[in-house]
Amino acid sequence: DSNYSDMQPSFRKQNFGMTLNTPLGIDTGLVSSYQQQHSKIPLQHLDNSDDQLRKQEVFFSKLEHYFANNLNVSLTALYTPTSGDYFSRDFKESDYTLKSRNYSLSGKVDKQFSHCQLNVTLAYSRQKITREAPTDRFLWSPTTATIDWESGRTGGSGDLKTGQEQFNLKSAVSFNPFNWKQTSHEFKLGGEATHSRQYYRRPETSFYYYSARTTGPVTCLPNDTACIENEQYLTRRTQYSKADTDANITDFAAFIQDSIVWKQLEIVPGVRVSYDDFSKNTNVAPRLATSLDVFGDRTTTLFAGLNRYYSGTLLTHALYEDIEIINQVRADNNSDWEDAASRPISFRYETGNLKTPYSDELTLGIIQKVLGGELKLQYIKKKNKDEFARSRISDPARVQPDTYLINNLGRSEYESYLLSWQRSWTDHFLEINATWQETTTSHDNYTDTLDADDTEETVWYNGEELQYYEIPRDDFNRPTIANLIYTCTLPHGITFTNTTKYRGGYWRLWNTRERRPSETNPDQSPDPYVYKKVKNNSSTTFDWRFSCRIPGHFKQDLVLSLDLFNVFDHKEKVGYQTGNYGYDYELGRQLWAGLTLDF
């Protein structure tokens, strides 16, 4: 057994569902569906094997009605509950439960007028996530009698509730095409307004105790949970304070575009303007897409695009301003806890005056009819600017808490080349595609979890002591991916699909399990891990799918399916597990059988 869920070769997964398409009249229809997926994953947990459980359900319903005057109204509802039972890998008594509830309800109106078509959508969505876990964590020394497991770790990170709800109103008008001189035009304009609220609830203060002392007489004070009588006590702790905070944001956007056709050339210029009441930024995003049918017969088509996209609202970051994390220390087991002088006293996030992050995207390509199929070559270049990063302002006198400021100093770039060719015959389809891609970044904006479980621990990488999120990742790419997809229709109504996947080698982080004493915090216990960069091997796998439709009586069809993943059970080493646990391998052969009844 593995101790990582994504590396466990033995697991059980079940899924099933049903869909009902119910006519309620000539102009009214109701579609309802239910899906459930359940998995059971045995994992190593300390010296035993325990099961982690996952369950997800999807309830979907859509009611649609067509009126006589070119009016179409639909109502859609979706409910997705998920739950899972977990445990922390090296922690005893660390069982915790995660639950998520996602709701959405939307209504849409489509109206065809004589000169245009109007679309209006009103939607509401809500997400609730809860964690039920032991309140405190402890990192004991495993050298005393009571602590009889190797890691010495026990407990959890405390209960937590987070969530978000959103109201959205969106409208668009598409005008009928009209001619002006030698050009044809088709205008489209629209707008939307969204109000979002996000919340964070930690019902009680949680502590992470560490830095054990086993020397000298140990006499525990009453109710001291960080002390074991006559054995050891813990001298440092990180306090995750009780919190109840909300953040709200309302944003507005409007757009207009025109599809202009002149001979074989089509040009689609447009612009989108957005504003939100939190950052109070007005953002103007120009858009431009072009295509040229070179010979007028679709044998050769050139296309290009130059677009700007704004993203990255501050809604989540706003929650950090009221979340407090305090590091404390005590001299011995009879002393009071005091704020640490050698570590940041607390973490506070202040947003200040910020620009909205944006991405400028360039797309170039050609589509060519060749060998009875379609050849496509595409190049994409993205430059992401004003991305959110953070800097820390410290008070040398330790009078004020350290402050983390969100800034716009982040930059990143993405570049990719895509080459594909596909062709369809009467009973056959073939596609070959390959992608090379690379991402570089000036920072690592790996978003910390709201409970910031690991802010008290540093790591060593390339001879430097860093926070984990500070490790440079600009060369951790998976540059080359290729696929071959072939589908054919066999006798007796059987359809066969082969998917051959090639994944090129890539670099990733590896925890060597070696430890080295901390220089920034000599009291840190245990010592920080040493990380290094390792190369993962390339791999090639074959996936097959068979499906067969069996007609029945009264318009009932039975569909049988069989999926084989990694058909040849290719054992390809793709990386290294932590420490001396061996290697990571491609997931072995999987077999999935399915049955669907259509009626």
Side-chain angles (χ1 to χ4, degrees), residues 96-378:
Y96 64 96
T97 300
L98 293 179
K99 294 181 180 179
S100 174
R101 300 291 183 267
N102 299 279
Y103 313 82
S104 67
L105 179 66
S106 64
K108 185 179 181 182
V109 177
D110 297 322
K111 172 65 175 176
Q112 181 67 55
F113 296 95
S114 58
H115 299 292
C116 66
Q117 180 173 340
L118 173 67
N119 309 106
V120 179
T121 302
L122 177 63
Y124 169 78
S125 63
R126 186 179 184 184
Q127 180 188 54
K128 298 194 302 182
I129 301 174
T130 61
R131 181 181 69 194
E132 298 175 1
T135 303
D136 300 320
R137 292 184 298 169
F138 303 86
L139 180 50
W140 303 101
S141 169
T143 60
T144 63
T146 303
I147 309 304
D148 58 358
W149 64 98
E150 183 180 356
S151 71
R153 301 187 179 204
T154 183
S157 303
D159 293 349
L160 201 64
K161 296 180 180 180
T162 63
Q164 179 175 330
E165 63 178 347
Q166 180 174 283
F167 295 89
N168 176 263
L169 174 63
K170 181 164 49 178
S171 179
V173 180
S174 301
F175 293 92
N176 296 341
F178 67 93
N179 296 322
W180 184 71
K181 294 186 177 181
Q182 295 182 321
T183 62
S184 172
H185 296 258
E186 185 175 352
F187 278 98
K188 185 176 182 179
L189 57 88
E192 66 177 305
T194 303
H195 177 76
S196 301
R197 181 181 74 91
Q198 192 166 331
Y199 66 87
Y200 174 95
R201 309 275 188 268
R202 182 182 282 276
E204 55 183 318
T205 298
S206 179
F207 294 95
Y208 183 17
Y209 296 91
Y210 54 102
S211 192
R213 288 189 185 176
T214 59
T215 58
V218 178
T219 303
C220 301
L221 296 175
N223 302 319
D224 186 357
T225 58
C227 181
I228 300 177
E229 190 76 22
N230 299 321
E231 292 189 23
Q232 61 176 297
Y233 62 95
L234 302 172
T235 62
R236 304 190 69 90
R237 72 181 185 184
T238 299
Q239 173 183 310
Y240 304 97
S241 303
K242 178 180 179 180
D244 187 346
T245 180
D246 296 79
N248 294 270
I249 187 170
T250 303
D251 57 83
F252 307 90
F255 75 92
I256 185 172
Q257 70 176 45
D258 181 18
S259 178
I260 306 170
V261 178
W262 178 70
K263 297 183 178 179
Q264 290 100 255
L265 176 65
E266 181 178 11
I267 304 175
V268 185
V271 64
R272 187 178 190 270
V273 181
S274 60
Y275 171 85
D276 71 81
D277 64 352
F278 187 84
S279 68
K280 301 189 185 306
N281 295 330
T282 300
N283 307 306
V284 180
R287 311 281 172 86
L288 178 65
T290 63
S291 65
L292 175 64
D293 183 0
V294 177
F295 303 108
D297 56 3
R298 296 293 179 182
T299 57
T300 304
T301 303
L302 304 176
F303 62 91
L306 186 59
N307 302 287
R308 173 169 292 185
Y309 303 96
Y310 281 90
S311 63
T313 67
L314 288 169
L315 184 59
T316 299
H317 294 282
L319 290 174
Y320 282 90
E321 294 188 2
D322 295 320
I323 296 174
E324 188 174 52
I325 304 172
I326 303 174
N327 295 289
Q328 296 179 322
V329 64
R330 61 178 177 177
D332 54 53
N333 57 305
N334 294 313
S335 301
D336 294 331
W337 291 98
E338 298 178 353
D339 292 343
S342 61
R343 300 286 306 277
I345 295 176
S346 65
F347 298 80
R348 288 192 177 277
Y349 292 76
E350 296 182 359
T351 52
N353 297 319
L354 290 173
K355 302 175 184 177
T356 304
Y358 68 92
S359 173
D360 285 334
E361 179 183 275
L362 170 66
T363 302
L364 300 171
I366 180 173
I367 300 175
Q368 177 67 49
K369 302 290 186 182
V370 61
L371 299 177
E374 186 175 273
L375 178 69
K376 180 179 181 180
L377 175 63
Q378 177 178 275

Side-chain angles (χ1 to χ4, degrees), residues 384-403:
N384 305 310
K385 301 179 181 179
D386 290 342
E387 291 185 325
F388 293 143
R390 67 179 189 174
S391 59
R392 189 173 73 186
I393 299 177
S394 301
D395 179 9
R398 313 304 300 177
V399 177
Q400 299 294 328
D402 286 7
T403 301

